[in-house]
Amino acid sequence: MTERVLEVRVGSGLDNLRFGMDEPQVRAELISYGDVVDATAPGGSLALRTQGLDDSFSICAAFKSDGALFTLEVWRPEDVNLIDVKLYDIPLFATPVERVLARISELGHRIDFDDRWHPVLPEASIGLDREGGDDCDDDGFARHFQSIFIAPCGYYFSPPRFR
């Protein structure tokens, strides 16, 4: 049994983290996952990430230039019994990639495989990362998703400069 499960809220966020929240609100939600540190790239908009609940687990929150939460990325912990992320009631980190993708397809969702390392659910504005990890298949793909990228509705349909 996983101790903590985060629910993807398609198009609007993750658990209590909602797109459009301001920095203090996001910090208040992130603190339960560890220390909140600044992860802003030089010249970029604000980005925060967690560190501490588990050294291998982190949530990164990226903001628009107006200070509103814009995207989230969650990295897989080494121990998925500690924390997992669910999408459509599917544990994304604990379930092997092929089973996750099959289940999502069964539910009628389109999966874009233009980048085989990073399949995308464009209508749900979710990106899945199968690059890296300790347990790869013969082609070098991770057997479990290594991170989950979550964005607002329409993210993959907007022009790149507005992302």
Side-chain angles (χ1 to χ4, degrees):
M1 181 92 175
T2 303
E3 288 181 33
R4 192 164 190 179
V5 177
L6 305 174
E7 291 284 337
V8 173
R9 310 265 187 236
V10 174
S12 64
L14 177 73
D15 255 19
N16 293 327
L17 291 162
R18 296 290 195 264
F19 300 125
M21 292 172 81
D22 63 23
E23 179 184 353
Q25 292 170 313
V26 172
R27 282 182 182 276
E29 291 299 327
L30 288 177
I31 196 70
S32 66
Y33 304 104
D35 295 330
V36 179
V37 297
D38 190 330
T40 307
S45 293
L46 175 67
L48 301 172
R49 71 176 173 81
T50 60
Q51 107 186 12
L53 180 64
D54 175 298
D55 290 338
S56 62
F57 174 79
S58 183
I59 298 176
C60 184
F63 295 77
K64 294 191 296 187
S65 59
D66 68 1
L69 178 61
F70 185 53
T71 62
L72 295 160
E73 189 161 8
V74 185
W75 278 268
R76 183 179 198 270
E78 287 178 18
D79 182 359
V80 294
N81 291 317
L82 176 66
I83 194 161
D84 204 344
V85 173
K86 279 191 175 182
L87 171 66
Y88 307 122
D89 210 35
I90 306 164
L92 296 176
F93 292 141
T95 308
V97 166
E98 299 308 325
R99 285 190 17 220
V100 170
L101 295 175
R103 183 69 184 119
I104 289 171
S105 290
E106 289 169 5
L107 292 171
H109 292 276
R110 181 172 70 91
I111 304 171
D112 182 338
F113 289 103
D114 283 348
D115 181 341
R116 292 181 51 217
W117 297 95
H118 303 100
V120 169
L121 284 69
E123 287 80 11
S125 297
I126 294 173
L128 304 165
D129 173 18
R130 48 181 320 193
E131 186 173 1
D134 295 332
D135 185 28
C136 294
D137 65 17
D138 293 340
D139 295 322
F141 292 100
R143 295 178 196 279
H144 292 88
F145 288 116
Q146 299 302 298
S147 71
I148 310 301
F149 176 80
I150 307 161
C153 289
Y155 179 86
Y156 288 104
F157 300 110
S158 63
R161 68 177 189 188
F162 294 109
R163 288 188 200 156

